[in-house]
Amino acid sequence: MAEVPGPVERGAIRVASVHVLVIGSGAREHALLLALRRDPEVLALSVAPGNAGTGGIADQYEIDVTSRRAVTALAQSIGADLVVIGPEVPLVLGVADAVREAGIACFGPTKDAARIEGAKSFAKEVMTSAGVRTAGSEIVDNPAHLDSALDRFGPPSGDPAWVVKDDGLAAGKGVVVTADRDSARAHAAGLLEAGHPVLLESFLDGPEVSLFCLVDGETVVPLLPAQDFKRVGDGDSGPNTGGMGAYAPLPWLSGEMTERIVDEVVKPVAAELVKRGSPFSGLLYTGLAITSNGPAVIEFNCRFGDPETQAVLALLESPLGQLMRATATGELAGQSPLRWYDGFAVTVVVAAENYPGRPRVGDVIHGAETDPESSGSASSVLHAGTANRDDGAIVSSGGRVLSVVGIGSDLGAARDAAYARISSIRLPGSHFRSDIGLAAAEGKISLSSG
């Protein structure tokens, strides 16, 4: 069993040890495991299915993570005290419900509450009821109505672009933001042809913010705000991806604005879900634009976002396992204020050739070794789309292969640490953005009054 620092004595009180099972295989889950490993209450870690980088810090199991029965059976067989579900698909399918029904604490919302991400139309309905500012929108489920709906959104209505989204889950790649009507229409028509309803939205101008909040019913505890980079190329060029990098905290976002986001957005939505009989328990991700009129919601996710998690958790000093268990058991309100390490963190994603299209896989990766004891170093490598070959080599197995995290006293130093580490990694055909956090480091991001 992969063990981590065990039970400890705090005065006369013995702290209970916890066995945590993390569900997922990406760099987000690698980051969760590393953060959980720093918690003195966490005795043992398991992950399903994990990747080539997580084997040194957790026992790994191959299961179907979308199967309610498989996840519950694994948690029972290994004696897990807490199950942490990373990806959105198991949550939307109700895996967390099954784990709880088996009497095991689970960090992750119910199937009903996970609709906040699984159905964008549901999220819009909740926001309307809660009085939360968001983009104007319209659902199109009939191709015959597409052209007239496009006329109501984007140019020439005054917005700088059309925003076309898949109403369901799309792993961050079901969105097209374009000033070209033909491109907008082609994306929407493709979704409709595949049987997916289309969500058209008005364009929200202003810098984007990702805010993670631990939510336990109406109790909301914000983490550090972050900003991610969805486009594949420098200068926000090319198609959307699952995320090419992120940084935290945001030097241009005041604490007052973060409080405003919590008070005007997250708390009202959490209260509305309670009112509907679907209280949220877990991590609620809010993606926003800070417009001239204040924060406006772009999207909600029902779990930790990737790649922001890799940056945010690198700076978390508070024990993550205790926070997650408290959230899962309805005790979040009794936790101490969060503690954070000083400084900044930058995550840069190293992607496989042709990503976000069909990625080239099976290439040997050099220089991506992980050190389970490297939590205090200036940089670290987190695995995502990686696998162990029979001969022991680490090879690429997905589109987003690695997340490289740099930490520094300022944003520039954190960027330097991340890119210096990337320079030692070799993966044929791989690519990454060179401008993650650059505009913020150069002081080029500012907010309009609102």
Side-chain angles (χ1 to χ4, degrees), residues 343-429:
F344 292 78
V346 171
T347 301
V348 182
V349 171
V350 178
E353 182 176 343
N354 199 45
Y355 179 79
R358 184 175 182 178
R360 171 175 157 176
V361 298
D363 289 308
V364 175
I365 307 166
H366 296 281
E369 296 76 18
T370 60
D371 179 1
E373 306 300 331
S374 66
S375 58
S377 65
S379 65
S380 58
V381 178
L382 305 180
H383 285 228
T386 66
N388 289 303
R389 205 166 62 182
D390 290 343
D391 61 1
I394 297 175
V395 298
S396 59
S397 63
R400 291 189 295 173
V401 182
L402 304 167
S403 282
V404 178
V405 181
I407 298 173
S409 58
D410 57 41
L411 198 49
R415 276 178 39 83
D416 290 345
Y419 285 108
R421 185 68 179 83
I422 286 177
S423 68
S424 66
I425 296 172
R426 300 194 307 280
L427 172 61

Side-chain angles (χ1 to χ4, degrees), residues 163-344:
V163 181
V164 184
K165 298 182 178 181
D166 188 329
D167 185 46
L169 296 177
K173 292 179 282 187
V175 181
V176 164
V177 181
T178 178
D180 181 73
R181 181 191 172 93
D182 290 341
S183 296
R185 191 184 192 288
H187 182 63
L191 292 173
L192 290 169
E193 185 176 347
H196 296 200
V198 170
L199 179 72
L200 296 181
E201 286 188 335
S202 57
F203 181 80
L204 293 175
D205 202 3
E208 294 188 10
V209 173
S210 298
L211 184 65
F212 297 168
C213 291
L214 299 169
V215 176
D216 167 17
E218 293 195 43
T219 301
V220 175
V221 177
L223 279 62
L224 290 179
Q227 186 178 64
D228 76 329
F229 295 74
K230 289 293 188 188
R231 301 278 190 168
V232 71
D234 284 0
D236 291 329
S237 61
N240 271 0
T241 71
M244 292 299 292
Y247 67 95
L250 308 181
W252 46 269
L253 190 77
S254 67
E256 291 76 14
M257 181 58 77
T258 301
E259 292 177 5
R260 186 174 171 186
I261 293 169
V262 172
D263 292 340
E264 295 183 10
V265 176
V266 187
K267 286 184 176 180
V269 165
E272 178 63 24
L273 289 173
V274 169
K275 180 180 176 182
R276 290 167 176 255
S278 304
F280 194 96
S281 174
L283 192 290
L284 184 60
Y285 166 119
T286 308
L288 313 105
I290 310 300
T291 72
S292 58
N293 294 317
V297 175
I298 297 171
E299 64 175 348
F300 285 107
N301 290 340
C302 62
R303 39 71 193 186
F304 278 98
D306 183 337
E308 298 99 320
T309 299
Q310 294 88 295
V312 171
L313 292 187
L315 299 173
L316 180 66
E317 184 179 1
S318 294
L320 180 62
Q322 295 173 44
L323 290 167
M324 287 182 152
R325 196 176 196 194
T327 303
T329 57
E331 299 173 350
L332 181 60
Q335 296 301 296
S336 301
L338 299 190
R339 303 188 309 276
W340 299 94
Y341 295 111
D342 292 333
F344 292 78

